[in-house]
Amino acid sequence: MKSIALPAILAMVCATTSTHAAEQKQLLWGDTHLHTSYSFDAFLNGNLSADPDTAYRWAQGLPVIHPYTRARVQIQTPLDFLVISDHAEFYGGLRDIYLDGVQVEDPGVLESIGFWWAEREIREAIDSGNGPEFFVEQLPPDADPTESAKAWVENIGAATQPGAAVSATNAWQRARQAAEKHNQPGKFSTILGWEWSSIPGGSNLHRVVMTDADGETAGQFLPFGSNQSPYPSDLWRWLDQTSAATGANFVAIPHNPNISKGYMFGKKALKGEPIDRAYAEARSRWETVAEVTQYKGDSETHPDLSPDDPFADFEIYPFYIQRVRTKAYAASSGDYMRSGLRNGLELEADLGINPYQFGV
């Protein structure tokens, strides 16, 4: 969960002749993980103004106003593509509450009082500069991820924030309009996406989801969030169903595996069961690339896993995203890509399919 993403490189294949199907690989530079004011964490951390339109203009090398410093900023080399990947959870909701209040029609008296109190609390936190502390209070406690996910489904899953559906629908419509406005085929590509932000017990299982859907096609669905399910297998099932219904293609990119508490590339699923063939097939279909490095640490390897590699300590991030930030970090083979690739080969020997055959 971050406000500013590191550039990513994608090699995209395109046909270059009309006489045969020869393919060339062209190196394109872009960003697959950028948040705007539509993300609850970015908004709480002070991004009150940089929306998708601002982000697309920035990526194209146009001058914009920085949301924190209010300075005029501009990149010298424009990007070739940008995926705006705002969090699906309470998508656009914090922005709406701060600017316009809770988006609910005809609330009752008690509801109105509750909404007023929530709006006041959020506005005071942001206006006083305490948004980051307010955000930390919303994080999960340090707990067993399997048990936390199960408890979430049983006790929290049915609850949704008041006005969340209205905010998400409106924000997704604005995001689609901004993407269509700035898309320039052959020059600059706007790619629709979002972040599915499951974090049971502080286990970071986030995925950045990107799609080739145009604005009209993407209007047939809303971003699937971890508020609908904390389980990756349910995300893949939704991708299956939505792709079949709309014809859209998707890619889900594991994000910050290094702080997943062993569950991103492990041999057991979040439900506590050993990975089976169906799970491996779904994973291998939708997750063909993973995020290798990011603001919150590098995910290639760790000194405890690669003791003979003098560079294994590059950008180590020894914290979990949870309410109490302790130093009780333990590197697991399920957290890092080198060991994850090895786990995939071992699973393939048993299942006949490799769930962790991915690029970076």
Side-chain angles (χ1 to χ4, degrees):
M1 297 182 292
K2 57 188 170 57
S3 306
I4 300 175
L6 297 176
I9 305 171
L10 291 183
M12 305 187 74
V13 179
C14 60
T16 58
T17 68
S18 58
T19 57
H20 55 79
E23 292 179 331
Q24 277 190 342
K25 289 183 178 179
Q26 181 182 1
L27 186 63
L28 301 176
W29 295 84
D31 192 336
T32 59
H33 190 166
L34 184 141
H35 294 325
T36 75
S37 58
Y38 291 4
S39 285
F40 64 89
D41 58 346
F43 201 88
L44 284 173
N45 280 280
N47 177 7
L48 309 186
S49 60
D51 59 8
D53 185 75
T54 305
Y56 286 134
R57 288 191 287 112
W58 174 84
Q60 294 173 79
L62 300 173
V64 299
I65 300 300
H66 195 286
Y68 303 143
T69 65
R70 308 308 299 169
R72 180 183 181 275
V73 294
Q74 186 175 12
I75 57 174
Q76 294 181 346
T77 304
L79 302 182
D80 295 311
F81 65 91
L82 175 64
V83 182
I84 293 178
S85 54
D86 283 309
H87 294 282
E89 297 75 20
F90 210 26
Y91 186 59
L94 259 292
R95 174 186 178 276
D96 282 354
I97 289 176
Y98 182 84
L99 296 177
D100 304 312
V102 177
Q103 305 295 293
V104 173
E105 292 185 9
D106 301 322
V109 175
L110 294 180
E111 279 186 314
S112 296
I113 295 173
F115 295 162
W116 171 82
W117 179 260
E119 293 163 10
R120 176 178 176 273
E121 188 176 31
I122 290 170
R123 287 177 180 139
E124 284 192 354
I126 293 171
D127 291 342
S128 66
N130 291 324
E133 289 77 8
F134 186 89
F135 167 70
V136 170
E137 292 173 4
Q138 316 310 313
L139 294 176
D142 180 13
D144 176 78
T146 295
E147 293 303 317
S148 294
K150 182 180 178 181
W152 187 96
V153 170
E154 292 176 349
N155 303 318
I156 306 174
T160 58
Q161 300 93 338
V166 174
S167 292
T169 299
N170 293 339
W172 186 236
Q173 180 179 3
R174 293 192 298 267
R176 292 185 286 115
Q177 291 171 342
E180 291 188 331
K181 172 184 173 182
H182 290 281
N183 192 51
Q184 302 178 59
K187 183 179 180 182
F188 177 73
S189 295
T190 59
I191 303 174
L192 289 170
W194 65 92
E195 183 172 349
W196 176 81
S197 314
S198 176
I199 188 166
S203 170
N204 188 87
L205 299 177
H206 297 197
R207 269 79 167 175
V208 170
V209 180
M210 54 189 290
T211 178
D212 66 351
D214 59 20
E216 182 179 355
T217 302
Q220 299 178 50
F221 58 82
L222 287 176
F224 184 88
S226 63
N227 53 310
Q228 293 163 271
S229 174
Y231 293 109
S233 55
D234 288 335
L235 169 64
W236 305 330
R237 185 176 298 109
W238 183 91
L239 295 176
D240 265 320
Q241 294 169 348
T242 307
S243 181
T246 66
N249 295 303
F250 298 92
V251 175
I253 306 174
H255 146 49
N256 269 129
N258 57 316
I259 49 177
S260 69
K261 295 190 176 182
Y263 282 88
M264 192 67 86
F265 305 124
K267 294 183 179 180
K268 285 188 177 181
L270 181 59
K271 293 181 179 180
E273 304 164 349
I275 289 176
D276 59 17
R277 184 176 177 86
Y279 184 101
E281 287 176 342
R283 171 99 185 215
S284 65
R285 176 181 180 186
W286 296 114
E287 302 191 356
T288 56
V289 64
E291 184 185 271
V292 67
T293 195
Q294 201 251 17
Y295 173 77
K296 291 186 289 295
D298 190 79
S299 295
E300 181 183 351
T301 192
H302 187 279
D304 292 347
L305 303 173
S306 301
D308 298 325
D309 184 350
F311 299 103
D313 62 350
F314 176 73
E315 294 291 333
I316 295 300
Y317 186 85
F319 304 102
Y320 297 115
I321 303 175
Q322 53 198 27
R323 198 172 303 157
V324 179
R325 186 175 178 177
T326 68
K327 290 189 176 181
Y329 177 84
S332 165
S333 67
D335 294 326
Y336 289 88
M337 293 184 183
R338 285 194 203 172
S339 50
L341 291 169
R342 187 181 304 113
N343 287 344
L345 293 173
E346 293 176 1
L347 287 167
E348 183 180 23
D350 293 332
L351 304 174
I353 187 169
N354 185 348
Y356 305 138
Q357 188 170 352
F358 53 80
V360 298

